[in-house]
Amino acid sequence: MMQRVPLALLRAGMVLAEPLRRRDGALMLPAGLALTERHLELFPVWSIEAAVVETADGPPCDAAPPVSPDDPPPDGEALDAARELLAARFIHADLALAPTAVLFELALPRAAALFAAHGPSALALPCPLPEASRPPQPEAPPPGPMSVIESDPKLTSLPDVFVRINEVLNDPNSTAREAAEAIGKDASLSTKLLKLVNSAFYGFPVKVDTLSRAVTIVGSRQLTTLALGISVIALFKDLPGGLVDMRSFWKHSIACGVVASTLAGPEAGGEVERLFVAGLLHDMGRLVLYRNLPRHAAYVLDTARREGMLLREAERAWLGFDHAMLAGMLLRKWRFPESLEKAVRHHHGGLAHMSMPMPATVHVADAVAGALGLGSSGEIYAPPLSPTAWGVVGLAPERLADVAAASTAHIEEITRAFLPDEA
């Protein structure tokens, strides 16, 4: 037997009796698939209102859905004060744009809670350093982006495991066994990958305890792409102190990857993993700057805060290039897939690049993560959202609440898995 079940009554473990399609007819999930918690989280994002599932002789959905009490609304005074302080962080974002206005309202309850718990200082923009403590403007002009890359041995002489994984990914004839063997040479990387595959982000109903099984379930090229992206994290463990909080940096990067994957949905196929890795690495250029040009980076950070500029605009003004260009050039040197390199290089791109699906999706994900305060790579303002990119993503503004809800728990879980030893 089969039964059409409304969204509120769907449960993990139910099996689809018919293919699940969006209103526009796009196939989302095939018949015969057992639903997972991850699917249920994404259904509101896809505007799924019901599904036809297999049933036993009796109706399976006669119980009421579980009820969780809503959090109490913020105090009115705290809410008003938080709104005013939060507006200062959105000065570069167009609140007349519907999705930006929705993101502001989504950020407001957390801002009000911070205000109520810690006062105005929790929301105030960081003050510029006193003039006497201001980083001096470097006397020498900055080198070009490729010179920065080539001056760093860690970026040019990569670990053997990184090189081998890249070779497998770029070889169309590589096998699943070769992928598992390449990844398995790094125990830390293997552990992180298995934690990700077993997280609620993927929502597999049984534990995946070996790399060979992970390759079979996730896909050889998809898992290799994930491995390549995750392996980059280990390259940036020796940055000068005081420029960036590394846990906050990677939390923002992971948030961008998770949101990008959520925005894409399963119809993107193997691109879901590439979007996650593009989000994970989208601000990597800043880490290169922090390590290799610390004096220039410190001056740029201070200038951006002192003059109320977006950090990327300060980078362009004082360095002649920004972190996105630098990261894109590095990924090209590393022979990353071209679509991934372009998504990173152009996530702050102009009109033409915002018309491309992967850069547009990473751009929107970065805007969501920045607006909601999910970590930071150094930027203190909510980034502006490109209307063109938003149009390419094709999401109704009111669905952003579902995207945020479907992403937040996974961001914390993946951050703990990737950075278990970080404070």
Side-chain angles (χ1 to χ4, degrees), residues 4 10 16-31 33 35 42-52 266-267:
R4 180 177 174 83
L10 289 171
L16 291 175
E18 295 181 357
L20 189 68
R21 298 182 181 274
R22 284 192 320 213
R23 292 178 181 176
D24 61 4
L27 176 65
M28 307 304 287
L29 299 172
L33 183 73
L35 298 179
L42 292 174
F43 283 178
V45 179
W46 305 335
S47 300
I48 300 297
E49 297 177 353
V52 178
E267 72 273 14

Side-chain angles (χ1 to χ4, degrees), residues 4 32 73 83 86 149 172 177 217 220 265 271 293 310 317 338 343 345 355 377 411:
R4 180 177 174 83
R83 184 181 294 275
L86 189 62
I149 292 170
R177 180 178 178 180
I217 294 177
S220 174
E271 293 302 296
L293 295 177
L310 288 168
E338 184 180 8
R345 182 192 289 259
S355 299
S377 65
I411 292 165

